[in-house]
PDB file of all heavy atoms in Angstrom:
ATOM      1  N   LEU R1119      30.638  23.135   4.766  1.00 24.00           N
ATOM      2  CA  LEU R1119      29.488  23.149   3.871  1.00 24.00           C
ATOM      3  C   LEU R1119      28.345  23.860   4.551  1.00 24.00           C
ATOM      4  O   LEU R1119      28.290  23.929   5.762  1.00 24.00           O
ATOM      5  CB  LEU R1119      29.031  21.722   3.541  1.00 24.00           C
ATOM      6  CG  LEU R1119      29.997  20.862   2.739  1.00 24.00           C
ATOM      7  CD1 LEU R1119      29.370  19.487   2.560  1.00 24.00           C
ATOM      8  CD2 LEU R1119      30.258  21.477   1.386  1.00 24.00           C
ATOM      9  N   ALA R1120      27.411  24.342   3.780  1.00 25.00           N
ATOM     10  CA  ALA R1120      26.217  24.940   4.381  1.00 25.00           C
ATOM     11  C   ALA R1120      25.002  24.612   3.548  1.00 25.00           C
ATOM     12  O   ALA R1120      25.056  24.618   2.335  1.00 25.00           O
ATOM     13  CB  ALA R1120      26.358  26.446   4.479  1.00 25.00           C
ATOM     14  N   ALA R1169      46.482  13.380  -6.672  1.00 96.00           N
ATOM     15  CA  ALA R1169      45.756  14.594  -7.078  1.00 96.00           C
ATOM     16  C   ALA R1169      45.896  14.841  -8.573  1.00 96.00           C
ATOM     17  O   ALA R1169      44.941  15.268  -9.229  1.00 96.00           O
ATOM     18  CB  ALA R1169      46.284  15.792  -6.287  1.00 96.00           C
ATOM     19  N   LYS R1203      28.936   2.521 -13.663  1.00 96.00           N
ATOM     20  CA  LYS R1203      28.841   2.745 -15.103  1.00 96.00           C
ATOM     21  C   LYS R1203      27.393   3.084 -15.470  1.00 96.00           C
ATOM     22  O   LYS R1203      27.117   4.035 -16.229  1.00 96.00           O
ATOM     23  CB  LYS R1203      29.280   1.485 -15.851  1.00 96.00           C
ATOM     24  CG  LYS R1203      29.542   1.701 -17.336  1.00 96.00           C
ATOM     25  CD  LYS R1203      30.931   2.286 -17.558  1.00 96.00           C
ATOM     26  CE  LYS R1203      31.306   2.299 -19.028  1.00 96.00           C
ATOM     27  NZ  LYS R1203      32.659   2.836 -19.259  1.00 96.00           N
ATOM     28  N   ILE R1209      23.659  10.021 -14.954  1.00 97.00           N
ATOM     29  CA  ILE R1209      24.157  11.349 -14.610  1.00 97.00           C
ATOM     30  C   ILE R1209      24.374  12.187 -15.853  1.00 97.00           C
ATOM     31  O   ILE R1209      23.974  13.359 -15.930  1.00 97.00           O
ATOM     32  CB  ILE R1209      25.450  11.238 -13.779  1.00 97.00           C
ATOM     33  CG1 ILE R1209      25.131  10.749 -12.362  1.00 97.00           C
ATOM     34  CG2 ILE R1209      26.191  12.589 -13.714  1.00 97.00           C
ATOM     35  CD1 ILE R1209      26.351  10.410 -11.527  1.00 97.00           C
ATOM     36  N   GLU R1252      34.975  19.026  -4.947  1.00 96.00           N
ATOM     37  CA  GLU R1252      33.941  20.040  -5.069  1.00 96.00           C
ATOM     38  C   GLU R1252      33.431  20.056  -6.501  1.00 96.00           C
ATOM     39  O   GLU R1252      34.200  20.111  -7.454  1.00 96.00           O
ATOM     40  CB  GLU R1252      34.486  21.422  -4.723  1.00 96.00           C
ATOM     41  CG  GLU R1252      33.434  22.527  -4.845  1.00 96.00           C
ATOM     42  CD  GLU R1252      34.018  23.918  -4.706  1.00 96.00           C
ATOM     43  OE1 GLU R1252      34.625  24.392  -5.706  1.00 96.00           O
ATOM     44  OE2 GLU R1252      33.907  24.507  -3.623  1.00 96.00           O
ATOM     45  N   THR R1258      21.927  28.118 -16.653  1.00 96.00           N
ATOM     46  CA  THR R1258      21.809  29.320 -17.473  1.00 96.00           C
ATOM     47  C   THR R1258      20.389  29.871 -17.428  1.00 96.00           C
ATOM     48  O   THR R1258      19.414  29.149 -17.619  1.00 96.00           O
ATOM     49  CB  THR R1258      22.181  29.001 -18.932  1.00 96.00           C
ATOM     50  OG1 THR R1258      23.513  28.481 -18.972  1.00 96.00           O
ATOM     51  CG2 THR R1258      22.101  30.252 -19.796  1.00 96.00           C
ATOM     52  N   ASP R1261      20.669  31.015 -12.516  1.00 94.00           N
ATOM     53  CA  ASP R1261      21.657  31.196 -11.454  1.00 94.00           C
ATOM     54  C   ASP R1261      22.610  32.331 -11.764  1.00 94.00           C
ATOM     55  O   ASP R1261      23.155  32.406 -12.877  1.00 94.00           O
ATOM     56  CB  ASP R1261      22.475  29.919 -11.257  1.00 94.00           C
ATOM     57  CG  ASP R1261      21.627  28.730 -10.823  1.00 94.00           C
ATOM     58  OD1 ASP R1261      20.514  28.966 -10.307  1.00 94.00           O
ATOM     59  OD2 ASP R1261      22.083  27.591 -11.002  1.00 94.00           O
ATOM     60  N   ILE R1268      29.899  18.971  -2.282  1.00 93.00           N
ATOM     61  CA  ILE R1268      31.090  18.126  -2.146  1.00 93.00           C
ATOM     62  C   ILE R1268      30.697  16.687  -2.453  1.00 93.00           C
ATOM     63  O   ILE R1268      29.747  16.154  -1.881  1.00 93.00           O
ATOM     64  CB  ILE R1268      31.675  18.215  -0.728  1.00 93.00           C
ATOM     65  CG1 ILE R1268      32.056  19.658  -0.388  1.00 93.00           C
ATOM     66  CG2 ILE R1268      32.888  17.295  -0.598  1.00 93.00           C
ATOM     67  CD1 ILE R1268      33.142  20.235  -1.259  1.00 93.00           C
ATOM     68  N   VAL R1274      40.332   4.639  -8.982  1.00 97.00           N
ATOM     69  CA  VAL R1274      41.124   3.418  -9.057  1.00 97.00           C
ATOM     70  C   VAL R1274      42.054   3.530 -10.257  1.00 97.00           C
ATOM     71  O   VAL R1274      41.671   4.043 -11.311  1.00 97.00           O
ATOM     72  CB  VAL R1274      40.221   2.161  -9.162  1.00 97.00           C
ATOM     73  CG1 VAL R1274      39.353   2.200 -10.417  1.00 97.00           C
ATOM     74  CG2 VAL R1274      41.054   0.879  -9.121  1.00 97.00           C
ATOM     75  N   PHE R1285      30.574   7.946  -7.195  1.00 95.00           N
ATOM     76  CA  PHE R1285      30.277   9.318  -6.760  1.00 95.00           C
ATOM     77  C   PHE R1285      29.499   9.309  -5.441  1.00 95.00           C
ATOM     78  O   PHE R1285      29.040  10.354  -5.000  1.00 95.00           O
ATOM     79  CB  PHE R1285      29.413  10.042  -7.797  1.00 95.00           C
ATOM     80  CG  PHE R1285      30.166  10.722  -8.901  1.00 95.00           C
ATOM     81  CD1 PHE R1285      31.536  10.598  -9.028  1.00 95.00           C
ATOM     82  CD2 PHE R1285      29.484  11.481  -9.831  1.00 95.00           C
ATOM     83  CE1 PHE R1285      32.223  11.219 -10.066  1.00 95.00           C
ATOM     84  CE2 PHE R1285      30.148  12.125 -10.866  1.00 95.00           C
ATOM     85  CZ  PHE R1285      31.520  11.984 -10.986  1.00 95.00           C
ATOM     86  N   SER R1357      13.824  10.165   1.175  1.00 91.00           N
ATOM     87  CA  SER R1357      15.281  10.058   1.279  1.00 91.00           C
ATOM     88  C   SER R1357      15.987  10.932   0.247  1.00 91.00           C
ATOM     89  O   SER R1357      17.078  11.438   0.501  1.00 91.00           O
ATOM     90  CB  SER R1357      15.722   8.602   1.113  1.00 91.00           C
ATOM     91  OG  SER R1357      15.332   8.090  -0.158  1.00 91.00           O
ATOM     92  N   ILE R1392      13.540  25.324  -4.645  1.00 96.00           N
ATOM     93  CA  ILE R1392      12.408  24.926  -3.827  1.00 96.00           C
ATOM     94  C   ILE R1392      12.346  23.405  -3.886  1.00 96.00           C
ATOM     95  O   ILE R1392      12.254  22.824  -4.970  1.00 96.00           O
ATOM     96  CB  ILE R1392      11.096  25.540  -4.348  1.00 96.00           C
ATOM     97  CG1 ILE R1392      11.149  27.063  -4.229  1.00 96.00           C
ATOM     98  CG2 ILE R1392       9.900  24.984  -3.582  1.00 96.00           C
ATOM     99  CD1 ILE R1392       9.983  27.769  -4.915  1.00 96.00           C
ATOM    100  N   SER R1420      12.144  37.392  -1.746  1.00 93.00           N
ATOM    101  CA  SER R1420      12.519  38.277  -0.633  1.00 93.00           C
ATOM    102  C   SER R1420      13.900  37.957  -0.072  1.00 93.00           C
ATOM    103  O   SER R1420      14.289  38.499   0.967  1.00 93.00           O
ATOM    104  CB  SER R1420      11.482  38.202   0.490  1.00 93.00           C
ATOM    105  OG  SER R1420      11.363  36.873   0.983  1.00 93.00           O
ATOM    106  N   THR R1423      17.044  33.706   2.868  1.00 77.00           N
ATOM    107  CA  THR R1423      18.195  33.040   3.479  1.00 77.00           C
ATOM    108  C   THR R1423      19.355  33.985   3.697  1.00 77.00           C
ATOM    109  O   THR R1423      20.256  33.684   4.459  1.00 77.00           O
ATOM    110  CB  THR R1423      18.680  31.873   2.617  1.00 77.00           C
ATOM    111  OG1 THR R1423      18.879  32.333   1.294  1.00 77.00           O
ATOM    112  CG2 THR R1423      17.681  30.763   2.610  1.00 77.00           C
ATOM    113  N   ALA R1424      19.364  35.084   2.997  1.00 79.00           N
ATOM    114  CA  ALA R1424      20.441  36.059   3.181  1.00 79.00           C
ATOM    115  C   ALA R1424      19.906  37.281   3.909  1.00 79.00           C
ATOM    116  O   ALA R1424      20.394  38.386   3.709  1.00 79.00           O
ATOM    117  CB  ALA R1424      21.012  36.457   1.816  1.00 79.00           C
ATOM    118  N   HIS R1512      14.861  43.922   6.433  1.00 93.00           N
ATOM    119  CA  HIS R1512      15.788  43.167   5.594  1.00 93.00           C
ATOM    120  C   HIS R1512      17.050  43.964   5.260  1.00 93.00           C
ATOM    121  O   HIS R1512      18.160  43.426   5.263  1.00 93.00           O
ATOM    122  CB  HIS R1512      15.082  42.758   4.299  1.00 93.00           C
ATOM    123  CG  HIS R1512      15.978  42.140   3.274  1.00 93.00           C
ATOM    124  ND1 HIS R1512      16.533  40.886   3.430  1.00 93.00           N
ATOM    125  CD2 HIS R1512      16.427  42.594   2.073  1.00 93.00           C
ATOM    126  CE1 HIS R1512      17.280  40.606   2.374  1.00 93.00           C
ATOM    127  NE2 HIS R1512      17.233  41.617   1.540  1.00 93.00           N
TER     128      HIS R1512
END
Side-chain angles (χ1 to χ4, degrees):
L1119 295 178
K1203 194 81 170 181
I1209 288 171
E1252 180 189 77
T1258 302
D1261 298 339
I1268 301 297
V1274 61
F1285 273 5
S1357 60
I1392 296 171
S1420 59
T1423 52
H1512 172 70

